[in-house]
Amino acid sequence: MIPNWLLQRAFLTPDRIALSFGDDKWTFSELKKEAVTIAKKLRSIELQEGDRIALLGSSTPEMVFVIHGCLLAGMEVVMLNNRLTADEIDWQLNDSEAKVVLMADEFHKIIRVSKTETKTFTEIKSLPEIPYTITEIWNPSRTITIMYTSGTTGFPKGVRQTAGNHTSSALSSVLNLGLDEEDRWLCTMPLFHISGFSILVRSVLYGMEVRLYAKFDAREVAMEIARGSVTRLSVVATGLQRILAEMEKTDAVASPSFKTILAGGGPIPDDYLQRSLERRLPVLQTYGMTETSSQTATLAAEDALRKSGSAGKPLFFNRITIAAAVNPLDIGEVLVAGPHVTPGYIGHASEKSPLVDGWLQTGDVGYIDAEGYLYIVDRRSDLIISGGENIYPAEIENVLVSHPDVLEAGVCGQEDKEWGSVPVAFIVTDKKISKEQLNDFCKQRLAGYKVPKAFYIVNELPRNASNKLLRRQLKASLDLKRNE
Amino acid sequence: MIPNWLLQRAFLTPDRIALSFGDDKWTFSELKKEAVTIAKKLRSIELQEGDRIALLGSSTPEMVFVIHGCLLAGMEVVMLNNRLTADEIDWQLNDSEAKVVLMADEFHKIIRVSKTETKTFTEIKSLPEIPYTITEIWNPSRTITIMYTSGTTGFPKGVRQTAGNHTSSALSSVLNLGLDEEDRWLCTMPLFHISGFSILVRSVLYGMEVRLYAKFDAREVAMEIARGSVTRLSVVATGLQRILAEMEKTDAVASPSFKTILAGGGPIPDDYLQRSLERRLPVLQTYGMTETSSQTATLAAEDALRKSGSAGKPLFFNRITIAAAVNPLDIGEVLVAGPHVTPGYIGHASEKSPLVDGWLQTGDVGYIDAEGYLYIVDRRSDLIISGGENIYPAEIENVLVSHPDVLEAGVCGQEDKEWGSVPVAFIVTDKKISKEQLNDFCKQRLAGYKVPKAFYIVNELPRNASNKLLRRQLKASLDLKRNE
C-alpha cells in the first residue's frame, strides 16, 4: 500500500517548494493543481487508469506537470528518449502498444509517428476537464514507468518500473544519503532516464525541491554548487569533468551546504576524484540501471579514493552477489536482488524474465572485495556507455547489416576523453561504399549518440568457433591501430 | 523482503557508533558480535527461529545485546514491562506461551514466575555457543516483538509488531524528521515500550547512534541538549517539563545542532510549548500507540503553537480518518491505516481483529481540521495516561472487585501536575475496609503506577440504563470534590 505520491505530499507539505526552473517556482500544492488539471483533461480523450501512454519531451516544468498528471491519472508511462529517431520511436510505440503519445510541441514539429495517436502539450491544454476521483492509494505492483533499454539482441526491451520499485529506491537512498529540509536536488539528467526520473520521485517522497535545468550548463551548475543554492546533484563522468573545469577556472570551491554529487553511468577516473577533492565536492559513485530504478550500490565519498574503481556497497534494502563466487575477489556475473528490481519487461520481451531464482542477471561482470565493496570489471553485453547513455553494439550492427551493401558489421566502444566511450564500426563489404554513406544511413535510423564515430572497412570480423562475433577482439584491434 | 536489520547495518557501516551508555561505546560491528554470540548461545537451549520468548530487563547495553541477539536468532520477543508484578508477568507469559523468559539478573532476584523456564542474563553467558547460519532476509510479516496493551475488557492483549510494521514506521519517520550522519538519539524511554524500542529500530535502519540512559535524569539530559552531544530525544510531557525546569535553572538553551524532541503519550500543555520555544527546543507532538509501532501522526515544530492541541498530520505512508465524518471538524472515532498497523493480537485475543475494513479502530475520539491536522478529544476506553504509561481503568477495577469485601469498583483518571493523570478508585462496600488495606491489596497485584492514588468509599457508582459504568461521571464527581 503506497499513497499516491503527489496527493499525499501536497497534503502533508503544501507550501514547500517542489520545483524551480530559472526564476520560476512551484509549491507542491501548485504542482498538484497543474497535475490534477492534466489528469482531468486526459480523461476527455478516453484514457482510463491502467492505460499505457508514451511521453516525449525535454526537461521543462511542463514536462514535469505532464508526468505527474499521467501518474495521478493512473497511466503507465512509456518514457521516450528524446534523442531517438522517428523510426526508433515508432518501434517502441508499437512494442508498448501505447494508446496515445503525448509530445512537447517542439518534438511534434520534427517527429512524425506512423500510427499512434498524438497529442501535443498545447493540444492537451485545450481539452475539456472531466471531473473524477483520483485514486489515493496505489498497489506497490502498479507500473509507474516503462523505460526501454537495449540488450544482447539489439532489440530494445521495455522495463517495467513499479510504484514499489521507485519508492523503495528513494527510501534506500535516503538511508544512505540522509535528508534535510534544506535539500534541493539539481537535475540536469534527462527525465526520460531513470537518473533524472528518480529525482522527481525523491522530490515527492522527501518533500524536496527539484532545481530543473533544460540543458546541462556546466557554468551555471558550478555557480549553484559554489553558492550553495543546491545541495545535491546527479552527473555522469563527462558532466563532472566539465563542472570541475568551470570551478577550476575561477578557483571556486563547493559551498559547505552543498552535500553530494551522485555520479553514475560508469566509473569516474581517479583524476576527476582528486580534482573533486580539491574543489571540496563529495563525489559518490553509484551503480544502477533501468532495471533497478536507479541506485543499487553507492560508494561513500570518504571511500572514493581508498576504494577507487569501486561502486560501493549495496543500499540498505538491496543485495548484490557474484554468480558462482566462493571467495572475495572471485570474478563473475553481478546479480542483484531487492524491492527496487523490476518485475520484468513488456511487449516482445514480456516472456523473458530478467530474474533467475529471484536474482536480476545484470550481465555485468565484477567482483566483491573482502570488505564487501563491489567492483565492475566489464559491462554487460559489451555495453558502450557514452556520456551516460547506454549503447548496445547489437542495435547498431542490426542497422548496419540492413544496408544493402553491408555483408557483416561489428561495433565496439572506443575510449573517448570527453564521452568516456563512443561507438565505432567494422564493416565487411564487397561493394564500394563510402563512410559518408554509412554515416547518413545510420543517422536516419539511430539517435545521434548511437551513430558510429568511425567506420573501418575490414576483410573479416573476428569470430569464435561457433561464429559468435568477438567484440573484445575488435576493441583490441583498435588499441593496435592507436599504437601504430 | 527486508534484510536482517543488524546484519545488514553492520555490513554497510561497521565502524559507525551504534550505542553509547555513559562513557562506553559500541560500533555496529561490535554490537553485531555481541548479538551473534547471544543468538548462538540461545540455540543451546533448543530455541529455534520462530519460537516465542519473553524478555524482562531495563535500559542497559546488555538488554540491547539480548534484544538484538533474540532478533538475529529469529525469535518473537514478548517485551515485558519491568514495572509489572509477578502476577501480571505470569499472566502475560501464560497468554503468550513464551517458551523461556530471559531476565536481567536484578529482576530475577525479585520476580519469580510460576511455570515458564527462566534464564538470567548471566546464565545465558555461560551457555555454549551452537554455530548456525543466521537468516539474512526477513519476511515483512515476521513478528519481531509482542507488546501487551490493555483494553476495554481489562485483560491485556499481546500486540504483534512485524518486521514490516517497524521498518515502515522508521522509514515514515525519516521522511518527516530527516536524517544526518551526526544524528544521535537520546533514549530514556523504556525499551519494552514502543517509544523506546522504536529508537533501537531507527538506529539499525539509519546507522544512527543510540545514547542510552538507564533512567531518566533530567539534569543530564538537559546538559546533553545544551552541549549538542545528542540531536534527537523522545519524551512524554512529564519528562519535557523536568528538562525545561533544569534548563531554566541555568538559563540554558539547546545547542543549534540539537534538532527535535518527539513528544508522545498525550498532549503537551501550551505552557510547556511556550517555555520550549524560549529554550530553543523544537518540540514535535506525536500520536502513536503500540498497535502502530510508534508514530502515526506528528506535528511539525513550527505548527506547535499555531495548531496547539493537535497531533499533526499523518506520516507519509500512513492514513488517518474519522469514522462517519462528513465535514472537517466532525468528531468521531479515529481510524488509522498504513503499513505500520499491527496485523493483530496473539493469545486469548488472537481471534479479535483490531481492523475493520482495513482500518485500525483506535477507540480514541477526535477530529481533523480543514487543513488536515488531527486533534484527539478523548482517549480510548477512558484511558489514563500517567507519565507516558497507559492505564486502563477496567484492569484496576478487575483487581479491586476480586477483593472479598469490595462489591463494586470504578476507576478514573485524576489530573496531576507531575504525571498528567493518576488513577483514583471509587469503592462500594458493605464492610469496614481501610484505604491502607485496599492499597496493599492493589500493590501486590498491580504495577506501582497502576495503584490508585486515592480510594473513595461511595454508596453507589454512576451507571446508565443498561448498567454500564459511567466513568466520565466519576471524573465529574472528582471535579466537584475539588471545588468543594
Side-chain angles (χ1 to χ4, degrees):
Chain A
M1 194 178 96
I2 295 172
N4 180 319
W5 295 332
L6 180 57
L7 285 194
Q8 179 77 336
R9 176 48 62 194
F11 165 57
L12 296 180
T13 57
D15 302 325
R16 276 200 210 159
I17 301 298
L19 175 68
S20 72
F21 184 80
D23 292 333
D24 294 325
K25 282 175 194 295
W26 292 264
T27 63
F28 282 102
S29 162
E30 289 163 345
L31 176 58
K32 174 187 156 186
K33 204 173 150 233
E34 298 282 356
V36 165
T37 302
I38 290 165
K40 288 180 177 167
K41 286 176 182 295
L42 292 179
R43 279 264 147 159
S44 73
I45 44 172
E46 283 173 28
L47 288 170
Q48 306 294 329
E49 289 202 4
D51 280 349
R52 191 173 290 160
I53 61 161
L55 195 47
L56 182 64
S58 45
S59 291
T60 62
E62 206 173 17
M63 178 74 169
V64 175
F65 304 155
V66 174
I67 288 173
H68 279 299
C70 292
L71 298 188
L72 284 189
M75 312 277 148
E76 299 189 355
V77 186
V78 180
M79 299 294 296
L80 297 168
N81 185 325
N82 67 22
R83 300 168 72 181
L84 300 185
T85 63
D87 281 2
E88 289 170 313
I89 286 174
D90 254 341
W91 196 95
Q92 294 187 11
L93 291 175
N94 247 327
D95 185 65
S96 65
E97 301 177 87
K99 281 200 167 179
V100 180
V101 53
L102 310 180
M103 279 194 197
D105 297 48
E106 66 268 29
F107 289 100
H108 192 240
K109 287 176 203 137
I110 48 172
I111 297 278
R112 295 280 163 193
V113 300
S114 60
K115 282 182 289 186
T116 314
E117 188 190 350
T118 304
K119 290 273 175 220
T120 65
F121 288 1
T122 299
E123 283 167 352
I124 297 173
K125 270 187 204 145
S126 64
L127 295 171
E129 290 179 36
I130 308 293
Y132 78 108
T133 307
I134 291 172
T135 303
E136 288 185 19
I137 300 294
W138 292 343
N139 192 310
S141 65
R142 177 207 153 168
T143 297
I144 294 284
T145 38
I146 291 153
M147 295 187 189
Y148 275 83
T149 173
S150 287
T152 43
T153 63
F155 292 106
K157 291 177 287 188
V159 177
R160 284 180 58 202
Q161 297 165 328
T162 65
N165 293 154
H166 283 299
T167 301
S168 71
S169 175
L171 292 174
S172 273
S173 182
V174 84
L175 292 184
N176 186 44
L177 299 184
L179 177 65
D180 193 284
E181 267 191 48
E182 307 305 312
D183 275 342
R184 300 170 94 200
W185 205 303
L186 179 56
C187 178
T188 65
M189 307 297 280
L191 297 176
F192 53 77
H193 271 187
I194 187 59
S195 54
F197 190 88
S198 61
I199 299 174
L200 296 186
V201 177
R202 290 181 205 121
S203 166
V204 280
L205 278 163
Y206 305 170
M208 177 187 73
E209 177 182 339
V210 176
R211 177 102 184 101
L212 188 67
Y213 273 63
K215 281 189 187 142
F216 180 77
D217 179 330
R219 196 159 155 266
E220 281 292 327
V221 173
M223 275 167 53
E224 297 241 28
I225 291 172
R227 261 202 314 264
S229 47
V230 296
T231 63
R232 312 271 188 192
L233 171 67
S234 303
V235 294
V236 294
T238 323
L240 178 59
Q241 133 69 16
R242 292 189 191 172
I243 293 166
L244 288 170
E246 282 298 332
M247 294 180 80
E248 285 158 357
K249 274 187 205 163
T250 56
D251 198 26
V253 294
S255 154
S257 64
F258 183 82
K259 288 188 192 149
T260 48
I261 292 195
L262 207 57
I268 307 292
D270 274 5
D271 170 55
Y272 296 3
L273 295 174
Q274 194 63 55
R275 288 160 62 198
S276 300
L277 216 58
E278 283 159 26
R279 300 292 131 210
R280 295 192 208 144
L281 275 180
V283 175
L284 278 68
Q285 292 180 82
T286 180
Y287 172 65
M289 56 185 72
T290 307
E291 287 87 343
T292 62
S293 288
S294 182
Q295 310 161 69
T296 283
T298 297
L299 183 67
E302 61 263 35
D303 291 332
L305 284 162
R306 184 174 77 89
K307 293 285 179 181
S308 166
S310 169
K313 288 183 181 177
L315 299 193
F316 195 88
F317 292 102
N318 309 342
R319 284 189 302 156
I320 300 174
T321 193
I322 302 296
V326 178
N327 296 307
L329 309 183
D330 283 355
I331 289 179
E333 185 176 8
V334 178
L335 308 180
V336 170
H340 67 318
V341 172
T342 179
Y345 304 111
I346 63 159
H348 80 284
S350 57
E351 306 277 287
K352 287 183 208 159
S353 172
L355 306 184
V356 176
D357 296 334
W359 291 91
L360 176 71
Q361 314 285 301
T362 66
D364 290 337
V365 173
Y367 64 90
I368 295 175
D369 75 7
E371 288 181 71
Y373 289 80
L374 173 70
Y375 290 76
I376 304 295
V377 291
D378 212 352
R379 288 284 162 164
R380 53 192 171 281
S381 329
D382 310 297
L383 176 64
I384 302 165
I385 307 184
S386 187
E389 290 280 2
N390 288 352
I391 303 173
Y392 291 82
E395 189 181 358
I396 305 173
E397 290 159 3
N398 282 354
V399 167
L400 285 168
V401 296
S402 74
H403 189 287
D405 295 342
V406 171
L407 295 174
E408 290 177 45
V411 169
C412 71
Q414 178 175 301
E415 277 181 39
D416 183 90
K417 226 182 149 182
E418 182 164 15
W419 302 107
S421 185
V422 292
V424 297
F426 293 78
I427 305 288
V428 179
T429 177
D430 54 3
K431 302 271 162 57
K432 248 201 124 49
I433 178 168
S434 76
K435 291 175 186 181
E436 289 67 33
Q437 282 175 305
L438 287 168
N439 189 50
D440 289 347
F441 186 80
C442 287
K443 268 198 176 155
Q444 281 166 37
R445 290 161 180 83
L446 290 168
Y449 62 89
K450 297 180 193 168
V451 174
K453 299 301 166 284
F455 296 90
Y456 301 109
I457 311 293
V458 293
N459 293 329
E460 59 174 357
L461 295 176
R463 295 187 182 273
N464 69 7
S466 51
N467 219 26
K468 190 173 175 287
L469 177 65
L470 297 170
R471 295 202 188 88
R472 260 161 246 180
Q473 287 201 17
L474 290 180
K475 228 178 143 76
S477 72
L478 277 179
D479 295 340
L480 283 176
K481 279 184 204 295
R482 197 186 309 154
N483 295 333
E484 269 166 15
Chain B
M1 194 176 96
I2 295 173
N4 180 319
W5 295 332
L6 180 56
L7 285 194
Q8 180 77 335
R9 177 47 63 194
F11 164 57
L12 296 180
T13 56
D15 301 326
R16 276 201 210 160
I17 301 299
L19 176 68
S20 71
F21 185 79
D23 293 333
D24 295 324
K25 282 174 193 296
W26 291 264
T27 63
F28 282 102
S29 162
E30 289 163 344
L31 176 59
K32 175 187 157 187
K33 202 171 152 234
E34 297 282 355
V36 166
T37 302
I38 290 166
K40 289 181 177 168
K41 285 176 182 295
L42 292 178
R43 278 265 146 158
S44 73
I45 46 172
E46 285 174 26
L47 289 170
Q48 306 293 330
E49 288 203 4
D51 280 350
R52 191 172 291 159
I53 61 159
L55 194 48
L56 182 64
S58 45
S59 290
T60 61
E62 206 172 16
M63 179 74 169
V64 176
F65 304 155
V66 173
I67 288 173
H68 279 299
C70 293
L71 297 188
L72 284 189
M75 312 278 150
E76 298 189 355
V77 186
V78 180
M79 299 294 296
L80 297 168
N81 184 324
N82 67 22
R83 300 168 71 181
L84 299 184
T85 63
D87 280 3
E88 289 171 312
I89 286 175
D90 255 341
W91 196 94
Q92 295 187 10
L93 291 176
N94 248 326
D95 184 65
S96 65
E97 302 179 87
K99 279 201 169 178
V100 179
V101 51
L102 308 180
M103 278 194 197
D105 297 49
E106 67 269 28
F107 289 99
H108 192 240
K109 287 177 200 132
I110 49 172
I111 296 279
R112 295 281 164 194
V113 300
S114 61
K115 281 183 289 185
T116 314
E117 188 191 349
T118 304
K119 290 275 175 219
T120 65
F121 288 1
T122 300
E123 284 167 352
I124 297 171
K125 271 187 203 146
S126 64
L127 294 171
E129 290 179 38
I130 309 292
Y132 79 108
T133 307
I134 291 172
T135 303
E136 286 184 20
I137 299 295
W138 292 344
N139 192 311
S141 66
R142 178 208 151 165
T143 297
I144 293 283
T145 38
I146 291 153
M147 295 188 189
Y148 274 84
T149 174
S150 287
T152 43
T153 63
F155 292 105
K157 291 177 288 188
V159 178
R160 284 179 59 201
Q161 297 164 328
T162 65
N165 293 154
H166 283 299
T167 300
S168 71
S169 175
L171 292 174
S172 273
S173 182
V174 84
L175 292 182
N176 187 43
L177 299 185
L179 178 64
D180 193 285
E181 266 192 49
E182 306 305 313
D183 275 342
R184 300 170 92 198
W185 205 302
L186 180 56
C187 177
T188 65
M189 306 298 279
L191 297 176
F192 53 79
H193 271 187
I194 187 59
S195 55
F197 191 88
S198 61
I199 300 173
L200 295 187
V201 176
R202 290 181 204 122
S203 165
V204 280
L205 278 162
Y206 303 171
M208 176 188 72
E209 176 181 339
V210 175
R211 176 103 184 102
L212 188 67
Y213 273 64
K215 280 188 188 142
F216 180 76
D217 179 329
R219 199 161 153 265
E220 283 290 328
V221 173
M223 275 167 52
E224 298 240 29
I225 291 171
R227 260 202 314 263
S229 47
V230 297
T231 63
R232 311 273 187 191
L233 172 67
S234 303
V235 294
V236 293
T238 323
L240 177 59
Q241 133 68 15
R242 291 189 191 172
I243 293 165
L244 288 169
E246 282 297 332
M247 294 180 80
E248 285 158 357
K249 272 187 205 165
T250 56
D251 198 27
V253 294
S255 155
S257 64
F258 182 83
K259 287 188 194 150
T260 48
I261 292 195
L262 206 58
I268 306 293
D270 274 5
D271 170 56
Y272 296 3
L273 294 175
Q274 195 61 58
R275 288 160 62 198
S276 299
L277 217 58
E278 283 159 25
R279 300 293 131 207
R280 296 189 208 146
L281 275 179
V283 176
L284 278 67
Q285 292 180 82
T286 179
Y287 172 64
M289 56 185 72
T290 307
E291 287 87 343
T292 62
S293 289
S294 183
Q295 310 160 71
T296 283
T298 297
L299 183 66
E302 61 264 34
D303 291 332
L305 285 162
R306 183 173 77 90
K307 294 285 179 182
S308 167
S310 169
K313 288 184 181 177
L315 300 194
F316 195 87
F317 292 102
N318 309 341
R319 285 189 301 157
I320 301 174
T321 193
I322 303 296
V326 178
N327 296 307
L329 308 183
D330 284 354
I331 289 180
E333 185 175 8
V334 178
L335 308 180
V336 171
H340 67 317
V341 172
T342 180
Y345 305 110
I346 63 158
H348 80 283
S350 57
E351 306 278 288
K352 287 182 210 161
S353 171
L355 306 183
V356 176
D357 296 333
W359 290 92
L360 175 71
Q361 313 285 301
T362 66
D364 291 338
V365 174
Y367 64 89
I368 295 175
D369 75 7
E371 288 182 69
Y373 288 79
L374 173 71
Y375 290 77
I376 303 295
V377 290
D378 211 351
R379 288 284 162 164
R380 55 192 171 280
S381 331
D382 309 297
L383 177 64
I384 303 164
I385 306 184
S386 186
E389 290 280 3
N390 287 353
I391 304 174
Y392 289 84
E395 189 181 358
I396 305 173
E397 291 159 4
N398 282 354
V399 167
L400 284 168
V401 296
S402 75
H403 188 288
D405 295 343
V406 171
L407 295 175
E408 291 177 41
V411 169
C412 71
Q414 178 175 298
E415 277 182 37
D416 183 89
K417 226 183 147 178
E418 181 163 16
W419 302 107
S421 185
V422 293
V424 298
F426 293 78
I427 304 289
V428 179
T429 178
D430 55 2
K431 300 273 164 57
K432 252 211 122 43
I433 177 169
S434 75
K435 292 173 184 179
E436 288 67 34
Q437 281 174 308
L438 288 167
N439 190 50
D440 289 348
F441 185 80
C442 288
K443 268 197 175 155
Q444 282 167 35
R445 291 164 180 82
L446 290 168
Y449 64 89
K450 298 180 193 168
V451 174
K453 299 302 167 282
F455 296 90
Y456 302 109
I457 310 293
V458 292
N459 293 329
E460 58 174 1
L461 295 177
R463 294 185 183 277
N464 69 6
S466 52
N467 219 25
K468 190 173 175 288
L469 178 64
L470 298 169
R471 294 203 188 89
R472 261 161 243 181
Q473 288 203 16
L474 289 180
K475 230 179 140 79
S477 73
L478 276 179
D479 295 339
L480 282 177
K481 276 181 206 297
R482 199 186 307 156
N483 295 333
E484 269 166 14

